[in-house]
Amino acid sequence: QVQLVESGGGLVQTGGSLRLSCAASGPGFGSFAMGWFRQAPGKEREFVAAISWSGGSTDYADSVKGRFTISRDNIKNAVYLQMNSLKPEDTAVYYCAAHPIGGLPARGGYAFWGQGTQVTVSS
């Protein structure tokens, strides 16, 4: 069982930056692929970014490519999402998730989820 706790959300102006963190506890973190998802009010949860267990492979949604960067530290059992050039449409609750098959970044099939952290981008 992996437990995930997100932090780093907040209120930022358009064009600003935030760095989200996800702290993991429990066995096997280093073997999991990790992902970030988001859900805006009235919308379905959507994929944002993912990273393989080694950090060698990443994947991004087209809407964030070039602005967001996912990374991980397997010593600290943490995954990060650096968000730059934020837009009002990035406003959402952001969730960290763990995928038990870690070889490649995945857009679905995640087994463990955090509770989410709110990101609000003002115009």
Side-chain angles (χ1 to χ4, degrees):
Q1 186 80 9
V2 175
Q3 295 179 328
L4 305 170
V5 179
E6 302 94 335
S7 61
L11 174 65
V12 64
Q13 291 185 335
T14 296
S17 298
L18 281 175
R19 187 191 193 212
L20 304 184
S21 298
C22 174
S25 60
F29 172 80
S31 65
F32 284 74
M34 299 296 296
W36 285 97
F37 293 76
R38 66 187 182 187
Q39 187 167 19
K43 295 186 177 182
E44 293 187 354
R45 185 170 59 195
E46 64 175 359
F47 168 78
V48 175
I51 189 167
S52 62
W53 71 269
S54 68
S57 296
T58 57
D59 185 26
Y60 296 93
D62 288 344
S63 59
V64 307
K65 200 171 293 184
R67 299 188 298 123
F68 291 10
T69 302
I70 188 171
S71 61
R72 66 188 296 161
D73 185 331
N74 287 344
I75 302 298
K76 295 182 178 179
N77 279 12
V79 63
Y80 308 100
L81 186 68
Q82 178 66 44
M83 306 186 296
N84 298 329
S85 302
L86 283 162
K87 306 174 181 180
E89 51 263 45
D90 294 318
T91 295
V93 177
Y94 282 71
Y95 298 90
C96 172
H99 195 295
I101 302 175
L104 291 172
R107 296 195 174 200
Y110 285 78
F112 305 104
W113 295 84
Q115 84 290 349
T117 185
Q118 176 71 46
V119 171
T120 303
V121 184
S122 63
S123 57

